[in-house]
Amino acid sequence: QELIDSISRKLQVLREARETLLEDIQANNILGEEVEAIVKEVCKPNEFDKFKMFIGDLDKVVNLLLSLSGRLARVENALNNLDENTSPEERRTLVEKQKLLTQQHEDAKELKENLDRRERIVFDILANYLSEENLADYEHFVKMKSALIIEQRELEDKIKLGEEQLKCLTDSLQPERLK
Amino acid sequence: QELIDSISRKLQVLREARETLLEDIQANNILGEEVEAIVKEVCKPNEFDKFKMFIGDLDKVVNLLLSLSGRLARVENALNNLDENTSPEERRTLVEKQKLLTQQHEDAKELKENLDRRERIVFDILANYLSEENLADYEHFVKMKSALIIEQRELEDKIKLGEEQLKCLTDSLQPERLK
């Protein structure tokens, strides 16, 4: 019961952190819209296009990278926890999955590297038009955008873990009460 | 036994098709290297950079898209084949997976759309420098590159399926022979 209370309190804190994080994301999105409006006004259409494409690809590639690292970590964890009772078949399936995910993870990392280069290209374009302050806003927006996605993912994982632990514990206590 | 022979023959044909496909891929890669050498010579460094990034992202995004459609199809297939014996827990897990994969698949499709726009941007750049013939080579190379990846994936899936069917059949015949 003590453990349940402790996990419940931890979950409460995590959920409050999630609220704050969602506000931060909201605020950053508003900053992004402001930057976008300025870029649209001062840049050539094809340059604005590049800006939009880069921003649009940013969260997709970051999300993809996080999802693949998560899956890879889970498969590697499963592989490390195999015991002698595991069938060779099961082990083979896991090893194959690990190989596939490692390749996809490498691909996603390369996509991210190219995206970082595109970030610098867009920065160089914007540097021709924007004031120092607006340029700083752009940089801040881009940096925060990926940082917030990463933070959100970590928080969601922790909340999910806590909820599972809590469910496990209450389930295990249930029979005792019924006895 | 007849079925085994038939599947074995089909596998043989598929493996020969794979050989031919690998030669096509090889030939297309050589064409790509030739185009790249010309682009490097005639374009500005930042334009060559854009070309390289686009080519590099192309197979990664296409592979990603194929892998996600494949996983999504498998999960949806599993969901359609659930029977009354399936636990609600299991069903919930599958539905959650489907939701996640659908979102990732949407993201990958948007990455691909942006990539198609980048293809046109690179084409417009190259059109300023390349002869009509070299430009046609570039277009052919890019179109074939994704087409060959898709074909390769389909072929590998068919071969894998055939091998599994064959294994299943030989396994099921084994005990009879031992009797």
Side-chain angles (χ1 to χ4, degrees):
Chain A
Q1 189 58 45
E2 213 174 290
L3 197 53
I4 290 184
D5 289 346
S6 148
I7 293 178
S8 297
R9 273 197 306 276
K10 218 176 102 188
L11 266 176
Q12 186 58 31
V13 173
L14 287 171
R15 284 183 184 130
E16 279 164 21
R18 178 164 61 182
E19 289 302 311
T20 317
L21 184 64
L22 289 177
E23 283 166 23
D24 290 349
I25 291 175
Q26 193 70 20
N28 199 51
N29 285 343
I30 290 172
L31 177 66
E33 283 164 20
E34 286 166 6
V35 172
E36 183 179 325
I38 297 169
V39 171
K40 188 167 189 175
E41 209 174 7
V42 297
C43 290
K44 291 182 214 149
N46 69 326
E47 293 170 331
F48 176 66
D49 226 43
K50 260 174 222 169
F51 167 83
K52 280 287 280 182
M53 273 201 282
F54 162 66
I55 299 296
D57 287 353
L58 180 58
D59 50 354
K60 290 173 198 88
V61 172
V62 172
N63 268 320
L64 167 69
L65 197 54
L66 289 175
S67 141
L68 285 170
S69 358
R71 287 177 61 212
L72 188 57
R74 281 195 294 280
V75 167
E76 286 179 343
N77 199 31
L79 267 173
N80 288 332
N81 290 325
L82 291 185
D83 53 28
E84 315 85 67
N85 300 325
T86 317
S87 71
E89 184 66 23
E90 205 174 317
R91 181 186 295 267
R92 212 175 48 87
T93 309
L94 276 173
V95 170
E96 228 170 72
K97 221 176 208 172
Q98 182 196 29
K99 231 174 84 184
L100 197 74
L101 283 171
T102 306
Q103 181 54 51
Q104 292 187 335
H105 190 238
E106 284 304 312
D107 281 358
K109 278 199 287 189
E110 275 181 51
L111 280 176
K112 179 67 173 66
E113 274 165 30
N114 277 350
L115 200 70
D116 292 340
R117 298 170 69 193
R118 283 163 66 197
E119 176 185 346
R120 287 193 292 280
I121 293 176
V122 171
F123 181 87
D124 289 344
I125 293 175
L126 298 187
N128 294 325
Y129 298 98
L130 297 189
S131 69
E132 217 167 291
E133 195 195 332
N134 287 336
L135 201 58
D137 279 350
Y138 162 73
E139 273 210 289
H140 180 78
F141 162 64
V142 168
K143 295 242 167 331
M144 286 309 286
K145 198 171 166 71
S146 20
L148 290 169
I149 294 173
I150 295 171
E151 209 178 315
Q152 188 179 23
R153 172 77 63 137
E154 285 171 355
L155 210 48
E156 296 290 352
D157 284 351
K158 278 185 199 160
I159 289 174
K160 213 172 155 189
L161 183 69
E163 284 171 348
E164 274 165 20
Q165 286 173 332
L166 206 59
K167 190 176 174 302
C168 239
L169 281 171
T170 43
D171 282 358
S172 67
L173 286 179
Q174 205 68 23
E176 271 186 69
R177 272 194 242 146
L178 291 174
K179 267 174 213 164
Chain B
Q1 188 59 46
E2 213 174 290
L3 196 54
I4 290 185
D5 289 345
S6 149
I7 293 177
S8 298
R9 272 197 306 277
K10 217 176 101 189
L11 266 176
Q12 187 58 30
V13 173
L14 288 171
R15 284 181 185 134
E16 280 163 16
R18 178 165 59 182
E19 288 303 310
T20 316
L21 183 64
L22 289 178
E23 283 166 24
D24 291 349
I25 291 174
Q26 193 70 19
N28 199 52
N29 286 343
I30 290 172
L31 178 65
E33 282 163 22
E34 286 167 6
V35 172
E36 183 180 324
I38 296 171
V39 172
K40 187 166 187 175
E41 208 174 7
V42 299
C43 290
K44 291 181 215 151
N46 69 326
E47 293 170 330
F48 176 66
D49 224 44
K50 259 174 221 169
F51 167 83
K52 279 288 280 182
M53 273 201 282
F54 161 66
I55 299 296
D57 287 353
L58 180 58
D59 51 353
K60 287 171 200 91
V61 172
V62 173
N63 268 320
L64 167 68
L65 197 54
L66 289 175
S67 141
L68 284 170
S69 358
R71 287 176 61 210
L72 188 57
R74 281 194 293 281
V75 168
E76 285 177 345
N77 199 31
L79 267 172
N80 288 333
N81 290 326
L82 291 184
D83 53 26
E84 314 85 66
N85 300 325
T86 317
S87 70
E89 183 67 22
E90 206 174 316
R91 182 186 293 268
R92 212 175 47 86
T93 310
L94 276 173
V95 170
E96 227 169 74
K97 222 176 206 173
Q98 183 195 29
K99 232 174 83 184
L100 197 73
L101 283 171
T102 305
Q103 181 54 50
Q104 292 187 336
H105 190 237
E106 285 304 314
D107 281 357
K109 278 199 287 190
E110 276 181 52
L111 280 176
K112 180 67 173 65
E113 276 165 30
N114 277 350
L115 200 70
D116 292 341
R117 298 170 69 194
R118 284 164 64 196
E119 176 184 345
R120 287 193 291 280
I121 293 175
V122 171
F123 181 86
D124 290 342
I125 294 174
L126 297 187
N128 295 325
Y129 298 99
L130 297 190
S131 69
E132 217 167 290
E133 195 196 332
N134 287 336
L135 202 57
D137 279 349
Y138 162 74
E139 272 209 288
H140 181 78
F141 162 64
V142 168
K143 294 242 169 331
M144 287 308 286
K145 199 172 165 72
S146 21
L148 290 169
I149 293 172
I150 295 170
E151 210 178 314
Q152 187 179 23
R153 172 78 63 139
E154 284 171 354
L155 210 49
E156 296 290 352
D157 284 351
K158 278 185 198 161
I159 290 175
K160 211 171 156 189
L161 183 69
E163 284 171 346
E164 275 164 19
Q165 287 174 332
L166 206 59
K167 191 176 174 300
C168 241
L169 281 170
T170 43
D171 283 358
S172 68
L173 286 180
Q174 205 68 24
E176 271 187 68
R177 273 194 241 147
L178 290 176
K179 267 175 213 165

